Amino acid sequence: MEDSIRIQIFEELPTSKEFESLIEPRNVPAVFKGCIKGWEAFSKWNPSNGGLHYLQERVGSCKVEAMVSRSAPVFYGDLGSHVRVPLPFSTFIDFCKKRMENKDQGIDASFGPQSDIAGSDKERDYLPSEDIPEQIYLAQVPVMNRDNEDRVQLETLREDIQMPPFLEAKELSSINLWMNNAHARSSTHYDPHHNLLCIVSGCKQVVLWPPSASPSLYPMPIYGEASNHSSVALENPDYSNFPEAEHSMELAQKVFLGAGDALFIPEGWFHQVDSDDLTIAVNFWWISDIMSCLLEHMDAYYLRRILRRLIDKEMYHLLHMSGMGKTRMSSYKLPDSGQAECGDDRYNQMLKGVNSKEKRLQCGDTLLELEPAAVQVLHELVSLVHNCVSVVNQDEQLQSASTSTSDSALVVNGECEITVATGLKDDLVAKILWGVEPCIFQNVFLAMAQNFPRTLEAFVLHVLSPVGAEVLTRKFDEMDKQILEEDRNRFYEIFYSAFDDQSAAMNSILKGKEAFARRAFKNVLDKYVAVNLETSEPRVR
């Protein structure tokens, strides 16, 4: 876990200025110990001190929306996994009181008259005949809601809740009550707001993942009503459908919150919450400064920028996931002449600097001057092309590299058209080029262009795969940084002179790169927004 995203723990409360300048902008969770012990709710709502009776008297039979789940103690947030039914708040408090009495007497707390829960026939049919209290969770019951005052159900509790000092400058979106009778587990999800979760009574365990862990948590499709929830079940997760989820805990952090503690959960952070029996919590939601500053007319631009950044990151991942980042050194097993010596005079001379590169570019016979490492790479590339094509004419031989491949009038074999390999480990072109040093790469393709132009043409037009095109152009970029502009211009002049149609060659490389980027784009959509362009079927838990 990177230190930059480790959860911070504060024994003393920050000032509003400290929170806004040092904590909130980092978008990293923070725990504030004893944050709300001064609240009136902290003492008045305490079930061990008559708090349930106080709440029942204060709120009365006001109807609240209760979350009812057949999968209790797990409460999944998507609408297909639970129903919300109207329930008198006093009835829920009765459930809590009865559970406390039974727990004190050491007997089973399962009970409950189903008729006490109002709702449609469908909602009542959803409820089982027993264990009803354990399947009810007061989740996100509004105490204050800026945008929808009609939804507020527990406004009478507002005066027992004091605003934490470091949030006084914030314009809150809502304040909500969370209360469970029995042990409850919320499904893994993120919120589109900053969140301060405050424990009034009981305790919670919260597991948190940064937004970057999204691919391991398999969020539901972006177009769905529960797009902020993970597709992975909490109990008996299906790792065959969600293989990356098996390692998701390696990216997670866990915190334990007791009564009086508060946890800042930044927007976008996935979290899964376990609540102990009879836990009462209040949370504050507010819109982050970043989201507040996003102008609507800029949405399309920001979307494209973020997608482009994720695509670049995914392309890097695809190129490096096979661990083939080592560079080729000068020690190679050559086709017929054994092992090259690391101290080869010509190889050492090549590494001395720009002047030697300039001389080589000006020289017409680059083939005879190739160092052993370059000969090996050239041999591999030529062999690869000739394995994919049929040779019609034989009039040239690579004598210095002890090969017998020819270059005239190559006809493409139908089985060797461009394919999208799954990564470096499956792509021969990428495997050959990936670790080649820029100076060797330069000499190999100069020799190929001057001595085997038809082979180079077949390589670019017919053998080069999308991942191979991406590696080829990255090698071009590495080479460009190490040679002079004059040499760079001369290299590309020689390279493209091998093609009868230079625009076709450029287009082939460009199309290959775009095909590789498109594959990365598909992966990004699947990983981050659960949209698979190959199928219309969404993930299922």
Side-chain angles (χ1 to χ4, degrees):
M1 179 66 63
E2 299 177 18
D3 289 338
S4 61
I5 57 174
R6 287 196 180 277
I7 295 174
Q8 303 167 286
I9 298 179
F10 295 88
E11 299 290 343
E12 296 183 3
L13 294 186
T15 65
S16 177
K17 185 176 181 180
E18 289 171 338
F19 181 79
E20 291 184 356
S21 61
L22 301 177
I23 299 173
E24 186 178 15
R26 294 185 63 228
N27 282 307
V28 175
V31 175
F32 305 103
K33 306 296 288 185
C35 174
I36 66 164
K37 286 186 175 180
W39 283 12
E40 290 187 30
F42 184 74
S43 58
K44 291 181 177 180
W45 299 5
N46 186 347
S48 301
N49 193 31
L52 294 179
H53 180 72
Y54 170 83
L55 288 170
Q56 195 168 40
E57 288 291 320
R58 189 66 185 268
V59 178
S61 59
C62 169
K63 292 282 184 74
V64 294
E65 270 196 354
M67 184 177 181
V68 184
S69 171
R70 280 197 181 120
S71 59
V74 177
F75 289 81
Y76 291 104
D78 57 295
L79 291 179
S81 301
H82 75 275
V83 294
R84 288 186 174 271
V85 297
L87 174 72
F89 186 78
S90 58
T91 300
F92 180 77
I93 295 299
D94 283 337
F95 290 162
C96 296
K97 286 180 177 180
K98 188 65 175 177
R99 184 172 186 84
M100 283 188 70
E101 293 173 8
N102 290 346
K103 191 173 182 180
D104 291 340
Q105 298 173 19
I107 62 176
D108 186 2
S110 298
F111 79 105
Q114 185 170 339
S115 59
D116 283 347
I117 300 179
S120 66
D121 291 339
K122 179 180 178 182
E123 289 164 345
R124 284 195 294 271
D125 290 343
Y126 186 90
L127 299 172
S129 59
E130 56 184 26
D131 298 336
I132 291 175
E134 285 73 18
Q135 298 178 1
I136 296 175
Y137 184 24
L138 298 189
Q140 195 181 325
V141 182
V143 177
M144 186 278 285
N145 189 301
R146 188 186 65 193
D147 297 327
N148 194 346
E149 294 182 0
D150 294 337
R151 286 192 65 245
V152 176
Q153 299 164 350
L154 297 176
E155 188 175 6
T156 56
L157 297 179
R158 178 69 181 90
E159 63 186 56
D160 291 342
I161 301 168
Q162 284 71 53
M163 179 80 77
F166 53 86
L167 294 187
E168 288 177 350
K170 300 298 180 185
E171 185 177 355
L172 297 179
S173 299
S174 63
I175 303 174
N176 306 289
L177 175 76
W178 305 74
M179 188 172 179
N180 54 286
N181 173 39
H183 172 231
R185 309 188 69 200
S186 71
S187 58
T188 305
H189 67 286
Y190 67 85
D191 296 318
H193 299 83
H194 281 337
N195 182 6
L196 186 71
L197 177 63
C198 305
I199 313 302
V200 179
S201 175
C203 60
K204 291 179 181 281
Q205 172 188 282
V206 186
V207 183
L208 298 121
W209 293 264
S212 57
S214 178
S216 298
L217 299 174
Y218 298 90
M220 292 187 177
I222 192 67
Y223 51 80
E225 52 81 26
S227 59
N228 62 322
H229 283 260
S230 169
S231 298
V232 184
L234 281 182
E235 296 181 328
N236 303 316
D238 184 357
Y239 293 132
S240 61
N241 277 337
F242 309 110
E244 296 299 321
E246 192 168 5
H247 308 288
S248 63
M249 290 306 296
E250 298 173 9
L251 306 171
Q253 300 179 72
K254 189 180 297 184
V255 296
F256 296 89
L257 304 172
D261 295 339
L263 170 66
F264 169 55
I265 306 175
E267 63 177 353
W269 275 73
F270 285 88
H271 49 285
Q272 185 274 312
V273 184
D274 277 42
S275 302
D276 203 0
D277 287 357
L278 200 49
T279 294
I280 306 173
V282 169
N283 87 299
F284 300 85
W285 272 331
W286 71 98
I287 298 175
S288 69
D289 290 341
I290 291 178
M291 294 305 297
S292 298
C293 293
L294 287 180
L295 301 175
E296 189 173 344
H297 71 274
M298 295 294 290
D299 284 352
Y301 166 71
Y302 290 133
L303 174 64
R304 293 179 69 87
R305 281 296 302 268
I306 292 171
L307 278 175
R308 183 69 251 183
R309 186 158 67 175
L310 288 173
I311 291 168
D312 290 343
K313 182 179 178 180
E314 179 63 17
M315 289 168 67
Y316 180 88
H317 172 71
L318 289 173
L319 291 173
H320 288 78
M321 64 183 177
S322 62
M324 297 184 61
K326 295 182 179 179
T327 11
R328 289 175 182 253
M329 300 306 291
S330 57
S331 179
Y332 279 85
K333 183 174 172 58
L334 300 180
D336 294 317
S337 56
Q339 190 78 14
E341 294 294 328
C342 290
D344 185 276
D345 290 340
R346 286 177 298 176
Y347 181 67
N348 291 335
Q349 179 65 27
M350 180 199 65
L351 297 177
K352 283 184 178 178
V354 173
N355 290 336
S356 61
K357 296 174 189 171
E358 290 175 341
K359 290 178 181 177
R360 233 183 329 274
L361 279 175
Q362 293 167 1
C363 179
D365 197 356
T366 56
L367 194 59
L368 295 176
E369 295 185 359
L370 287 180
E371 63 284 354
V375 172
Q376 172 69 11
V377 176
L378 180 60
H379 169 70
E380 291 177 4
L381 290 175
V382 172
S383 297
L384 175 63
V385 174
H386 282 258
N387 283 336
C388 293
V389 298
S390 300
V391 181
V392 177
N393 250 342
Q394 295 187 6
D395 60 359
E396 293 180 2
Q397 292 184 341
L398 179 56
Q399 297 176 350
S400 63
S402 301
T403 66
S404 57
T405 52
S406 60
D407 189 59
S408 290
L410 296 176
V411 178
V412 178
N413 184 324
E415 298 180 357
C416 194
E417 290 295 338
I418 292 177
T419 58
V420 180
T422 58
L424 284 178
K425 60 183 178 182
D426 303 301
D427 190 276
L428 292 177
V429 173
K431 286 175 68 174
I432 293 171
L433 296 181
W434 181 249
V436 177
E437 295 176 350
C439 49
I440 295 177
F441 174 87
Q442 174 188 347
N443 293 331
V444 165
F445 279 94
L446 281 174
M448 204 169 180
Q450 292 176 326
N451 298 276
F452 302 98
R454 299 288 70 76
T455 299
L456 177 58
E457 187 174 50
F459 170 75
V460 170
L461 296 181
H462 304 294
V463 178
L464 196 61
S465 66
V467 66
E470 181 63 28
V471 172
L472 177 70
T473 54
R474 289 186 180 225
K475 287 298 170 182
F476 282 155
D477 292 339
E478 289 180 16
M479 179 195 71
D480 291 346
K481 293 175 182 178
Q482 295 191 16
I483 62 177
L484 299 177
E485 182 179 1
E486 181 182 349
D487 296 333
R488 184 165 60 248
N489 294 338
R490 178 61 177 154
F491 170 84
Y492 290 112
E493 180 184 341
I494 295 174
F495 180 87
Y496 284 108
S497 68
F499 299 91
D500 291 335
D501 186 347
Q502 295 184 12
S503 62
M506 294 179 184
N507 190 57
S508 178
I509 295 173
L510 177 63
K511 292 299 183 184
K513 281 179 63 66
E514 289 179 346
F516 181 67
R518 177 174 172 78
R519 197 180 101 218
F521 172 63
K522 290 180 179 179
N523 289 359
V524 164
L525 291 183
D526 187 43
K527 284 182 177 182
Y528 296 97
V529 294
V531 173
N532 191 326
L533 296 182
E534 307 299 334
T535 175
S536 59
E537 293 297 322
R539 299 169 180 154
V540 292
R541 184 180 290 124

